[in-house]
């Protein structure tokens, strides 16, 4: 599992990492208080879970929003 290419965030996670964590729970809502570029949100959406993300940086928030909508 490698780092995601083309992601402008300085420390992007591969979607497979949060996906594995989410799959181990029965949670219907996933919270990521440090959303960054939205990788956990993409994984949550791919697994048909609801997602709440919090991000202070407006630029990363917009990137996350676009990525999650496309997922």
């Amino acid at each position: 599992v490698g780092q995601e290419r083309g992601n402008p965030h300085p420390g992007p996670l591969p979607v497979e990492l949060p996906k594995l964590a989410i799959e181990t729970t029965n949670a219907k809502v996933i919270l990521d208080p440090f959303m960054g570029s939205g990788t956990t949100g993409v994984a949550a959406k791919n697994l048909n879970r609801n997602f709440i993300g919090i991000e202070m940086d407006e630029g990363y928030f917009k990137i996350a929003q676009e990525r999650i909508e496309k997922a």
Side-chain angles (χ1 to χ4, degrees), residues 46-64:
N46 288 341
L47 293 169
N48 296 315
R49 311 287 179 100
N50 293 314
F51 175 74
I52 299 170
I54 301 167
E55 178 55 52
M56 289 178 51
D57 185 289
E58 188 175 345
Y60 291 140
F61 180 83
K62 288 179 182 179
I63 292 167

Side-chain angles (χ1 to χ4, degrees), residues 2-16 18 32 34-43 55 57 59-68 70:
Q3 190 175 23
E4 183 181 340
R5 297 187 187 276
N7 188 326
H9 192 275
L13 297 174
V15 174
E16 292 81 13
D32 185 353
F34 306 99
M35 183 170 58
S37 62
T39 302
T40 300
V42 170
E55 178 55 52
D57 185 289
Y60 291 140
F61 180 83
K62 288 179 182 179
I63 292 167
Q65 188 175 26
E66 290 174 11
R67 290 182 68 216
I68 294 167
K70 287 180 185 177

Side-chain angles (χ1 to χ4, degrees), residues 10-26:
L13 297 174
V15 174
E16 292 81 13
L17 287 178
K19 180 179 180 259
L20 288 171
I22 293 167
E23 287 176 324
T24 66
T25 75
N26 292 323

